[in-house]
């Protein structure tokens, strides 16, 4: 069974983005300090746009490599800023600098890690699409 590399990257972007979103949402309401709304905006907006681009591309309605590269670069930049804000907020939630056993710190730190992983996926997606390798079929 052959798989499209572009499809694999988009699905991974959606999965990692959703995990980061869920982790942030689990502590977002009460512990929403500076920048948390920006992080939530980035996570939700990029997730929805990625899903729409994936659906439109696979349905054959819209597919444009230039749009895909520009979107992947913008999404990567937004994700890296969101990850930095998450790291700062994770440190703010680390009362007494006890690194284990603080669920708010743990969730903020995990959300930041998944944001970094998603950023890396978007960078790989942009590079592969730019080089024209995103449409290649992987071997069985």
């Amino acid at each position: 069974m052959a798989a499209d590399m572009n499809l694999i990257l988009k699905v991974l972007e959606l999965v990692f983005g959703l995990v980061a979103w869920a982790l942030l949402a689990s502590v977002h309401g009460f512990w929403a300090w500076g920048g948390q709304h920006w992080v939530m905006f980035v996570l939700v907006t990029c997730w929805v746009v990625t899903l729409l681009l994936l659906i439109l591309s696979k349905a054959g309605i819209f597919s444009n490599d230039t749009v895909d590269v520009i979107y992947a670069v913008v999404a990567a930049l937004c994700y890296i800023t969101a990850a930095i804000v998450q790291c700062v907020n994770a440190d703010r939630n680390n009362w007494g600098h006890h690194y284990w056993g603080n669920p708010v710190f743990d969730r903020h730190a995990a959300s930041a890690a998944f944001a970094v992983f998603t950023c890396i996926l978007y960078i790989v997606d942009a590079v592969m699409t730019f080089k024209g390798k995103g449409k290649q079929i992987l071997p069985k």
Side-chain angles (χ1 to χ4, degrees):
M1 181 172 110
D4 182 4
M5 186 61 172
N6 189 26
L7 175 65
I8 292 170
L9 283 171
K10 294 284 187 226
V11 169
L12 287 174
E13 290 164 5
L14 289 170
V15 169
F16 281 103
L18 186 62
V19 171
W21 178 9
L23 287 166
L24 178 62
S26 69
V27 292
H28 180 69
F30 187 70
W31 302 105
W33 284 329
Q36 287 300 100
H37 296 97
W38 165 251
V39 177
M40 186 62 83
F41 171 77
V42 168
L43 298 179
V44 173
T45 303
C46 288
W47 193 87
V48 169
V49 172
T50 301
L51 183 63
L52 286 174
L53 286 175
L54 177 64
I55 291 170
L56 292 174
S57 174
K58 295 308 168 192
I61 298 170
F62 176 80
S63 182
N64 186 331
D65 285 346
T66 304
V67 172
D68 288 342
V69 169
I70 291 170
Y71 169 68
V73 169
V74 169
L77 291 172
C78 289
Y79 258 99
I80 199 64
T81 62
I84 291 168
V85 170
Q86 270 303 95
C87 288
V88 169
N89 284 326
D91 189 52
R92 283 184 185 169
N93 287 303
N94 190 17
W95 308 296
H97 299 288
H98 301 293
Y99 290 103
W100 306 107
N102 182 345
V104 176
F105 169 79
D106 293 343
R107 290 176 188 162
H108 279 289
S111 179
F114 277 99
V116 170
F117 297 147
T118 309
C119 176
I120 292 168
L121 287 170
Y122 277 112
I123 292 169
V124 169
D125 189 6
V127 169
M128 291 190 73
T129 303
F130 182 74
K131 289 187 172 187
K133 300 188 186 317
K135 305 292 187 223
Q136 287 183 347
I137 301 298
L138 294 175
K140 295 181 180 180

